[in-house]
Structures are given as C-alpha cells and as structure tokens.
Amino acid sequence: MGEMEQLRKEAESLKDQITAARKAVQDTTLQEAAAGITVVGRVQLKTRKTLRGHLAKIYAMHWAVDANLCVSASQDGKLIVWDTITTNKVNAIPLKSSWVMTCAYAPSGNLVACGGLDNMCSIYNLKGKDGNVKVMRELAAHTGYLSCCRFLSDSEIITSSGDCTCVLWDIETGTQKTVFAGHQGDCMSLAVSPDFKFFISGACDFTAKLWDIREGVCRQTFGGHESDINAIGFFPNGNAVITGSDDATCKLYDLRADQELITYQDSSIMCGVTSLAPSLSGRLILAGYDDFNVNIWDSLKSERVGVLAGHDNRVSCIGVSADGMACCTGSWDSFLKIWN
Amino acid sequence: MAEAPQQQQLQQQKEEEEEEQQPGPVEARDSSEGSEEPKEDVQATPTRPLLSMRSMSIVDPDDDSPNMIVYRKIEDIVTRIQDETEGVPIRTVKSFMTKIPSVVTGADIVQWLMKNLSIEDQAEAMHIGGLIAAQGYFFPISDHVLSLKDDGTFYRFQAPYFWPSHCWEPENTDYAIYLCKRTMQNKTRLELADYEAENLARLQRAFARKWEFIYMQAEAQVKIDRKKDKTERKILDSQERAFWDVHRPVPGCVNTTEMDIRKCRRLKNPQRVKKSVYGLTEEGTQSQSPIHTPSHHCRKGTKEDVEKEILFLNTQLDRHCMKMSKVAESLITYTEQYMEYDPFLTAPEPSNPWTSDDPSLWDLEASKEPSQQRVKKWGFSLEEALKDPAGQELFLKFLESEFSSENLRFWLAVQDLKRMPQQEVAQRAQEIWAEFLAEGAPSSINLDSHSYERTSQNLKDPGRYSYEDAQDHIYKLMKSDSYTRFLRSNVYQDLLMARKKPETEQGRRTSLEKFTRSVGKSLTGKRLTGLMQSS
C-alpha cells in the first residue's frame, strides 16, 4: 500500500471515530428538547423605511454598532452610509472599482471598508479632519475576489476571499498579520465572535470553519451542507454558528457539541440562501433567499414563522441592528428596506 | 432552426383545419392567440405527451453549481406536472375560429402545485409557480411577462431544448436574427411589441456592417419554419418567443438569467463558449468581461495536506463533545432569558420607535438612568454587565468600595490594548506591567505564578495578546468572586428594585442622590483614572 494510500486511510478512520464520538453525545435532538417551550406564533414585520439611492444591484450592507446608521455597497460603484431613521444619505462614497461585493462598519463608527473583484479591501475614514471621506488604506494581497470583511477594531480587520483564505490585517501598516488557510473552496462569508477571540468562515467547499484569531489556527470544521455556504453568523451567545447555503437550507452548529444541531428547510423552498441574521435573543433567524423573499425561522423548533416579501429581485444581504429593533434587507432591485 | 422539442410530440390531429393559413399576407383573423376568451367555445381535446415520465431534467446530477441545483428541482416538478396520468390536463382548446394547441390554465397549475407539493397556502403555490414561470419553464401564450396567474389564462410548457439549464447566454446576433425573422413573417400575432421594435432598431445600428448576413440568416430560418406543420409551428413559435422573454426580458422585468458574479467562474462552461440558438458558428473573439479572472484552483491534496489533516483530526478527536441535551438546554435558556429584550418578539417599552415614531426609548437608553429592565440584564452575566457602559461604571464603583478595582481596571486596560494601533502596543504593554504587575505596582493584581511567568515571558516581545492568559485568569476571578457579590450588593439591588414605575421628578432626584451618596461614602482616596505611573 502506497504511503499516500495509508495516510488517506488513517484520515478516514479518524473521521469515522469523530463521527462516532459525535453520535455518542446525541442523547436528544434540539427539536425534542424544545418541544415543550412556548410557540413563537406568526411573526409579521412590516417595511418601515425604504432606502432609495443606489442605481444597481446591492451586494452588501452592515449596521453600525452605536447609532441607527448603516452602510451599503452596490455595483453602481458607490458605498452609501444611511441614517435609517430619516433615510438621508450621510455619505455617498464613490469607489474606484464598481465590482464591490462586501462592506463593513467599524465598531467605533470611524471607519468603513469594502472590496470585491479588485481583490483588495479599501478602508475609508469617515471622520477625517476636513470632512471629506477618503481612502485611508488599501489592503492588497489576496489573489481572489474579496467576499467579506469585518473590523475587530480601528486597527485590525479580517477579510475572506475567493482565493480560499481569510486574512487578519493590520490597518495602520497595511500588512497581513495572519493568513488563515484551510478551506478548499472560495471563502464566501465570515463572522466574528461576540468576544472577538474567534471568527467563523463559510466557503464553497460546503464547510464552515472556526478560527482562533490569536493562534491563527482552525479549531473546528463543520460539514453537512450539499452546496456552497453563502452566509454565516454567530448565535448571540457565541456558542453556536448559523450557516446558509445554496442547497436552500440553513443549519445550526454548536461549538461545544462539535456538530449540527438542526437544519432549517422546507420542500417548497428551492432557492439558495444568500444572507442571514439572528434576532437579538437568537430565537428567530432571518434568512434572505434567491427567490426574492426573506424567511423567518423559529431557531429552536425549526418552523417557518414569517415571510418578508417586498423585494423585486434577490435579497442579497440582511442585518439586524445592534439593539435588535430593526432588520435591514438589501436587494438586487437596488433598494434597502427596514423592517420590524 | 432549433430542433424541435422531443417532449411535445405534436399530436397528429386528424381534424380538418377550418381555414388554411396562406403563407402570404394574412388578414387579421389569426389574432386568436392575442385575445383569450376562455369562456366561449372551448372544447377540450386531450393531448398527451408521448414520452415516459422519468424526470426530463437535463441537468447532470453531479453538477452542483448553484443555479443547476435549482434548475434540477424545477425540472423535476415540470416533468411531473406534464405527466400523462399524474399531471395537469394539457389540451388543445378550440377558440373562436382556430385551435390553441397544447395549453393548460393557470388555475390548473396552481391547483396541481398545491396538491402535489403539499402546499396549503395558495400564496405559497403562487410564489413557487411564479419562480418556475420567471425562469421560463412555462409561459403565458399571449403575454411577454413571465408570471403565473391563478385563473383561466392559458399557459404552455417550454421545450427542453430551450431550458435555462443549457446555460444559453445567447448573443445579440441570435436575437437580431430572431427579431428580423419576426418582421418577415407578416402575422399579426407575431408583430413586434414596442420594446422589441426598439431593440431591433438598436441592433440594426449596432450591426450595420453585418446586417446583410443577419438578414440572410433570418430568411433561411423563415424558410425552414415554413416547412413545418402549422400546429407545430404555432407551438414552436411561442416557445421560441418565451425563450427570448427570458433572455431579453421586457423592460422592467427581472432578468432571471443574471448570475452572482462570485459564482460565474465556477460554471460548467468556464470558457463561456457560446452556442448559437440558430446554429451559427462561433465567429470573432469572445468578449472580455470583467469577470474573466484566471480560474483559481485550490491545490488538490498533497502528502503534507493529508498529514496536516490527520493532525487536525487528532485534535478534534481529543476534544470533548458536550452532550446534546446540555447544549440544547443552554440555547433554550439563553433565548428564553433574552426573549423579553428581543423587539421582534416582545413589544419594547415605552414603544418601538420604528412603529410609533417616538424616540423616547432611545433617549432613555442614552440617559444616565438605566431602566429596571436594563439593570436586570446586568445580572445575566458578567459579560452583559460590562457590555453596558452604565453597568460597567456601577461595577467599577462597587469594586472601588471594596478596594478591589484593580482587577477590572486591568481587564479594561488589556481590552484597550487589543484595539490599539500596532505602533503603540509595545509601550502600552509596558505601562500595564508597571501599573499592575511589576514589583511594588500601585494597582497590583493577584496572578497565579504560572500565569505570571508566562506573562513576563510574553513581555520580552510585547504584543496585543501578551496579557491574554492573565486577562482570562482575572476575568474568571471577577466572575466567580466580585461579580456575585456585586449582584447581592446594596448598590445593585437598590437600582434593580428602585424603579418600579417612572417616578416623579422629585422622587427620581432623591433616589439618585441617595445612590450617589451611598457610593461616595465608600470611596477612598483611590481615583478612577486609568493608568498612572506611580512616582
């Protein structure tokens, strides 16, 4: 038996043992455990505001932490910072490359970032001295498109890319501090844990990975999806991970049980999931789909408890505000809507 | 011409045609397809496809690219819905002076979907039906807009040749030939719509130099078409039109063939070799679209990869998996605890600013006087208390009253350190050492010797995470010790119980005064400011 063959066999045997270990702790299912808790009932959210101004598909949006501001990125080549209450545009930032795929708001509210087919993450300072918003840094090193980015602070940012890696950058010097390699397919999305010690990434190799930011290593890998994972997020308590995939399902994985807890699917949902966000308590998961709708799931009972239908094209991004009061959806129809 | 659909084996109707369609100029009689009056003169003559009903999906089952997954699902449904026994009744409908071959009503489709896909809600069936229609798998015979109506509107199924899963992406030359051909056919029902006429005009300008070629191709197509059976032509014409409705949609309609540019690269046909609908050979260069980045292949497993994988799997195996029941319980407890704080589930008080346009809730949050509900949250976990600036402030004050604030101040300082610009990190790390850990430090914290050793080692090359272990240790200490006492303390309990209802101005001031006085009493000379070099 060749050496490669032997190694592969060893790996397979280990995988089997892991599967067995995971099975051994399955003394119940989440659905069974949640059978007794009160039903949530129909959740009906209405559109409260429509943010108009983009001229082409919106690919991404991100809420600010402190205020009711959010930033959105569109293929019309603009990054717009919105005051969601008045629907006014606080900033309209023209981009060098119009093929933008992601945007992020720093927790401090001072910076925003975006990137896309230019393979770079551009950082903009919103609070510049003369009032103009300018590019502060261009983080270039990825060899594939920038699919997602999230700030750790004004000093550091994490990016995920179509080159199958995620990178931690030092913004000041514009250098890569850590490269997180391991995925076998384009990384599509990432999310940072509430304590900022870990982040998770979802990729086109159908897996999600948990990374230790400080050590620079992958701690856990979660599989089970049958197609690309497009969206990923942490459950609010930081102990579980939610993923959304082109296989039209969302899954909940627990970090401590090291396995999938539940799948959110329905035979009448045929289109892929593009984006997701949990409500403040985690009891609801709002997921945007390619079929123009957002479905609201009861996370514990895996039942659909609501639908947001209002966009005329794919819902490409979704986010719940920091205080949980409102949900924002962005779509290929060029509009953002605020719901609650 | 596109080779005709295997599926709709045209039924060989032996019935005599009432009027022969002359190939020349025609009167307006053949406008039947334009005006459906389903109530009059409809006689159902059943038409059945002659093929067996295995799924006609042409999607390679191993093709797992995103669009293909959806196409496969739709094609499975479309196969079943056309089944002889289990599907909808596809008929030829006699209307006015002609026959409309191979149609089914929208209501039939909706009904079938509800019954066969186990859908209870009509709106849900409309949504799915709309999705299938938008992709062009069935289409209204007298409208360019691809949507489904739950009524007597007639629909026809698309030929598999034209299915979106073929990844057509037809060129404008094909479209030009099509529009040109339509103008040659001189049938009122095939007259160009306004937007099509505009498109044609635009194409004529764009292809001015090769218009003769296009015209000839169109003529050739018309010739081929003429040879076909009249009924077959009716069906094929409509299917061809529906194809173009998908790829060149009516202005204002969504183009369902648009793909997410992140996924484009991984299509089965990455070189984007364009096939022509009308069999034209590829000419000229392919257009360089901005998406044409060199395809990035992730390395296939090498020996090192497998060895790394084995190491990783071993660590995974060593990890202790928590029981599902415990994990489930923890998730349930968390959601139950926070449900009253989740505005989507519990109406916030005094009101949700988004619905009432009354920002008083936000004003309250920003004010220095936290609501009882907010104070209650600080009791959920130390993390929750520290997340809220007001909670953090109160906890700090409490610790000062116990002369143990150095722990929290150390923890906060390290949090700041982690967010600092890289250049300032080293210096700040040293300052933290001097303030909290050095011999004789002014705010000496209590670390176990192991953590102390590790930390002082880290400081030889100071970085953001130099104090990570120490910080974790101190956090655990605070959590198990000071925090629990904080929750039982008077300052916290007073605040928690103090506000049952919004009090009068007088009442509020008095309790606030009482509160500050009680805290002030326990303060000593120690100040709150961050790091100070002790002289």
Side-chain angles (χ1 to χ4, degrees):
Chain A
M1 209 190 285
E3 203 185 344
M4 262 308 250
E5 178 87 23
Q6 220 164 1
L7 286 174
R8 288 228 171 86
K9 276 208 145 195
E10 193 182 337
E12 283 308 308
S13 143
L14 283 169
K15 283 190 197 154
D16 289 338
Q17 289 178 62
I18 290 174
T19 310
R22 285 177 176 164
K23 255 198 118 103
V25 296
Q26 285 173 11
D27 54 345
T28 182
T29 66
L30 178 57
Q31 259 169 314
E32 279 164 26
I37 61 175
T38 17
V39 179
V40 156
R42 199 102 195 118
V43 174
Q44 276 165 332
L45 305 183
K46 296 208 175 82
T47 305
R48 303 295 170 186
K49 308 277 179 188
T50 301
L51 307 179
R52 296 163 216 274
H54 279 302
L55 304 170
K57 299 190 179 72
I58 293 173
Y59 257 78
M61 68 78 51
H62 196 211
W63 282 98
V65 169
D66 270 344
N68 281 313
L69 299 173
C70 72
V71 63
S72 63
S74 160
Q75 307 240 300
D76 62 3
K78 286 244 166 49
L79 210 58
I80 299 184
V81 177
W82 306 84
D83 177 329
T84 54
I85 309 205
T86 59
T87 75
N88 289 339
K89 302 177 194 40
V90 177
N91 301 103
I93 307 164
L95 306 173
K96 276 195 212 165
S97 160
S98 70
W99 301 98
V100 64
M101 295 164 168
T102 181
C103 61
Y105 219 123
S108 64
N110 297 330
L111 310 174
V112 288
C114 68
L117 278 185
D118 55 10
N119 299 1
M120 288 193 316
C121 182
S122 306
I123 314 279
Y124 294 83
N125 186 351
L126 296 177
K127 309 277 169 77
K129 287 196 185 99
D130 53 359
N132 280 340
V133 177
K134 287 190 289 241
V135 182
M136 200 180 97
R137 271 309 163 269
E138 282 174 347
L139 310 173
H142 278 301
T143 54
Y145 60 84
L146 204 84
S147 52
C148 192
C149 56
R150 287 291 178 257
F151 285 93
L152 292 182
S153 64
D154 281 5
S155 317
E156 293 182 307
I157 190 169
I158 301 184
T159 57
S160 66
S161 166
D163 66 9
C164 310
T165 67
C166 297
V167 172
L168 169 70
W169 303 81
D170 177 82
I171 295 178
E172 195 59 31
T173 57
T175 54
Q176 296 179 81
K177 296 188 67 184
T178 319
V179 177
F180 302 89
H183 274 299
Q184 304 277 309
D186 303 10
C187 295
M188 294 294 283
S189 180
L190 74 95
V192 181
S193 67
D195 62 5
F196 290 92
K197 294 191 179 179
F198 299 94
F199 76 92
I200 39 174
S201 59
C204 292
D205 60 2
F206 314 172
T207 68
K209 284 182 182 284
L210 176 76
W211 305 89
D212 182 322
I213 296 180
R214 179 184 160 204
E215 299 289 325
V217 295
C218 170
R219 291 276 176 227
Q220 286 170 269
T221 303
F222 301 99
H225 273 296
E226 292 166 358
S227 187
D228 303 353
I229 295 178
N230 297 320
I232 200 162
F234 268 98
F235 196 86
N237 69 355
N239 288 331
V241 164
I242 315 163
T243 55
S245 163
D246 270 331
D247 64 10
T249 72
C250 295
K251 287 180 188 286
L252 180 72
Y253 297 95
D254 189 278
L255 301 181
R256 294 169 303 179
D258 191 36
Q259 60 188 288
E260 177 187 326
L261 286 186
I262 205 167
T263 299
Y264 307 101
Q265 68 187 348
D266 189 318
S267 59
S268 59
I269 300 177
M270 295 190 289
C271 288
V273 180
T274 59
S275 49
L276 59 85
S279 71
L280 188 134
S281 64
R283 184 66 194 270
L284 301 176
I285 294 175
L286 296 94
Y289 291 73
D290 277 342
D291 66 3
F292 312 178
N293 283 350
V294 170
N295 288 311
I296 308 179
W297 296 91
D298 176 333
S299 63
L300 300 178
K301 291 181 182 273
S302 182
E303 281 162 8
R304 246 199 309 174
V305 293
V307 177
L308 305 181
H311 282 293
D312 295 326
N313 206 329
R314 263 184 225 199
V315 174
S316 54
C317 50
I318 194 169
V320 170
S321 61
D323 60 5
M325 291 277 171
C327 151
C328 179
T329 53
S331 164
W332 279 13
D333 68 5
S334 82
F335 300 119
L336 293 144
K337 286 181 186 281
I338 309 283
W339 310 75
N340 67 14
Chain B
M1 171 65 185
E3 263 334 274
Q6 321 92 296
Q7 118 278 7
Q8 313 269 43
Q9 268 328 316
L10 306 236
Q11 40 143 111
Q12 311 302 315
Q13 290 281 65
K14 298 297 186 211
E15 292 165 28
E16 262 65 66
E17 310 294 291
E18 244 102 306
E19 60 260 6
E20 266 316 298
Q21 212 62 96
Q22 311 302 324
V26 162
E27 320 73 56
R29 247 173 321 165
D30 198 20
S31 54
S32 55
E33 287 217 17
S35 50
E36 298 313 332
E37 307 286 329
K39 297 276 161 43
E40 64 180 26
D41 263 276
V42 167
Q43 281 155 41
T45 320
T47 317
R48 295 291 178 208
L50 301 179
L51 296 185
S52 73
M53 279 305 124
R54 296 184 152 276
S55 172
M56 298 184 307
S57 176
I58 54 182
V59 176
D60 174 357
D62 287 328
D63 188 343
D64 51 15
S65 60
N67 272 15
M68 289 302 171
I69 298 179
V70 181
Y71 292 149
R72 206 183 313 144
K73 292 178 193 167
I74 295 180
E75 285 166 12
D76 285 345
I77 294 176
V78 162
T79 305
R80 283 170 56 200
I81 200 174
Q82 292 176 78
D83 179 79
E84 270 188 46
T85 36
E86 306 287 310
V88 285
I90 303 173
R91 359 178 154 91
T92 293
V93 160
K94 283 208 171 110
S95 165
F96 199 44
M97 302 251 260
T98 76
K99 294 182 297 187
I100 308 166
S102 192
V103 288
V104 65
T105 65
D108 281 344
I109 294 178
V110 176
Q111 217 176 32
W112 187 94
L113 289 174
M114 285 181 69
K115 176 156 165 255
N116 290 272
L117 299 184
S118 316
I119 300 171
E120 285 161 7
D121 184 13
Q122 189 253 18
E124 179 104 21
M126 288 297 289
H127 181 75
I128 295 185
L131 177 70
I132 301 176
Q135 300 285 343
Y137 281 92
F138 55 71
F139 54 91
I141 59 174
S142 37
D143 198 349
H144 283 288
V145 177
L146 299 169
S147 63
L148 177 63
K149 293 201 197 121
D150 188 10
D151 57 19
T153 312
F154 288 125
Y155 291 83
R156 189 168 286 144
F157 288 98
Q158 181 57 285
Y161 179 77
F162 284 129
W163 281 355
S165 40
H166 279 295
C167 298
W168 276 107
E169 294 180 60
E171 295 277 21
N172 277 332
T173 32
D174 277 350
Y175 188 44
I177 292 170
Y178 168 68
L179 289 177
C180 197
K181 170 171 90 144
R182 287 262 302 273
T183 60
M184 289 173 184
Q185 286 170 317
N186 263 338
K187 291 189 173 107
T188 322
R189 69 179 162 91
L190 296 175
E191 250 173 29
L192 295 183
D194 285 343
Y195 77 95
E196 287 176 311
E198 276 171 37
N199 286 345
L200 180 57
R202 219 179 326 119
L203 288 167
Q204 276 174 325
R205 285 195 297 274
F207 289 133
R209 286 215 213 104
K210 56 181 192 174
W211 198 255
E212 207 178 302
F213 168 75
I214 289 178
Y215 193 84
M216 275 177 11
Q217 292 294 323
E219 276 186 326
Q221 291 298 319
V222 171
K223 244 181 157 171
I224 297 171
D225 285 354
R226 281 209 191 114
K227 295 199 184 121
K228 302 210 161 152
D229 165 77
K230 176 186 150 183
T231 313
E232 190 185 343
R233 265 177 67 194
K234 243 191 195 168
I235 295 176
L236 292 176
D237 281 349
S238 68
Q239 289 170 334
E240 191 187 8
R241 187 194 72 185
F243 170 80
W244 287 111
D245 286 340
V246 168
H247 292 276
R248 298 287 186 276
V250 179
C253 284
V254 174
N255 185 338
T256 53
T257 61
E258 279 180 326
M259 279 207 71
D260 188 330
I261 53 180
R262 297 171 293 187
K263 314 273 181 168
C264 278
R265 279 195 297 106
R266 291 158 53 238
L267 280 184
K268 252 219 159 139
N269 192 8
Q271 258 55 49
R272 316 276 268 342
V273 171
K274 312 267 188 174
K275 315 174 273 194
S276 163
V277 182
Y278 302 112
L280 301 182
T281 45
E282 179 85 37
E283 51 172 60
T285 50
Q286 295 154 17
S287 53
Q288 276 300 312
S289 61
I291 332 171
H292 223 69
T293 47
S295 68
H296 180 106
H297 283 297
C298 290
R299 296 138 45 250
K300 295 284 167 113
T302 62
K303 179 161 159 259
E304 287 86 50
D305 287 339
V306 187
E307 280 173 350
K308 259 198 243 170
E309 197 191 356
I310 290 176
L311 268 169
F312 176 74
L313 290 170
N314 270 313
T315 18
Q316 290 229 285
L317 197 55
D318 285 339
R319 171 181 309 112
H320 169 70
C321 290
M322 205 180 268
K323 280 211 196 124
M324 291 282 257
S325 51
K326 281 200 88 178
V327 150
E329 192 192 312
S330 136
L331 278 176
I332 293 170
T333 315
Y334 185 90
T335 55
E336 300 273 86
Q337 196 175 45
Y338 282 84
M339 257 178 91
E340 72 173 276
Y341 296 89
D342 188 337
F344 290 159
L345 297 168
T346 316
E349 287 179 22
S351 69
N352 189 328
W354 289 101
T355 44
S356 63
D357 270 334
D358 170 18
S360 50
L361 183 140
W362 284 325
D363 293 338
L364 274 168
E365 295 273 311
S367 77
K368 279 277 151 188
E369 297 163 24
S371 67
Q372 197 189 10
Q373 204 190 31
R374 194 170 144 198
V375 172
K376 184 168 130 192
K377 223 203 238 183
W378 303 343
F380 290 174
S381 64
L382 175 55
E383 190 189 303
E384 216 40 82
L386 293 179
K387 235 188 346 186
D388 187 337
Q392 189 184 300
E393 199 180 310
L394 188 66
F395 186 42
L396 187 62
K397 285 202 173 92
F398 166 75
L399 290 174
E400 288 183 343
S401 72
E402 293 201 329
F403 305 100
S404 59
S405 67
E406 62 279 351
N407 283 343
L408 181 56
R409 284 188 288 120
F410 169 72
W411 188 86
L412 291 171
V414 176
Q415 287 294 87
D416 269 344
L417 177 73
K418 291 197 275 196
R419 292 189 283 251
M420 224 154 245
Q422 192 62 45
Q423 297 95 290
E424 304 175 25
V425 164
Q427 198 207 338
R428 189 65 150 214
Q430 298 295 356
E431 287 171 2
I432 293 179
W433 179 267
E435 173 77 14
F436 296 100
L437 286 159
E439 278 222 20
S443 312
S444 173
I445 58 172
N446 221 338
L447 266 192
D448 64 292
S449 54
H450 182 71
S451 304
Y452 194 89
E453 274 311 307
R454 286 269 294 272
T455 309
S456 73
Q457 282 291 2
N458 289 345
L459 271 243
K460 297 210 168 113
D461 180 19
R464 276 211 177 91
Y465 296 105
S466 298
Y467 290 104
E468 200 71 353
D469 292 334
Q471 199 194 26
D472 281 344
H473 181 86
I474 294 292
Y475 190 83
K476 287 200 185 92
L477 212 60
M478 281 196 295
K479 190 163 143 181
S480 57
D481 189 33
S482 336
Y483 176 63
T484 31
R485 275 181 292 115
F486 167 67
L487 292 182
R488 280 176 288 166
S489 73
N490 285 333
V491 285
Y492 178 73
Q493 287 294 328
D494 282 351
L495 209 55
L496 183 65
M497 303 306 187
R499 308 198 196 298
K500 292 240 153 54
K501 267 193 247 176
E503 296 175 5
T504 59
E505 264 305 296
Q506 188 76 305
R508 238 184 282 154
R509 241 186 293 138
T510 346
S511 23
L512 187 57
E513 276 174 342
K514 267 201 232 159
F515 162 62
T516 28
R517 244 183 283 136
S518 77
V519 169
K521 263 193 215 150
S522 28
L523 283 179
T524 63
K526 274 228 165 113
R527 296 278 73 195
L528 296 153
T529 50
L531 304 170
M532 260 176 45
Q533 295 288 349
S534 64
S535 40

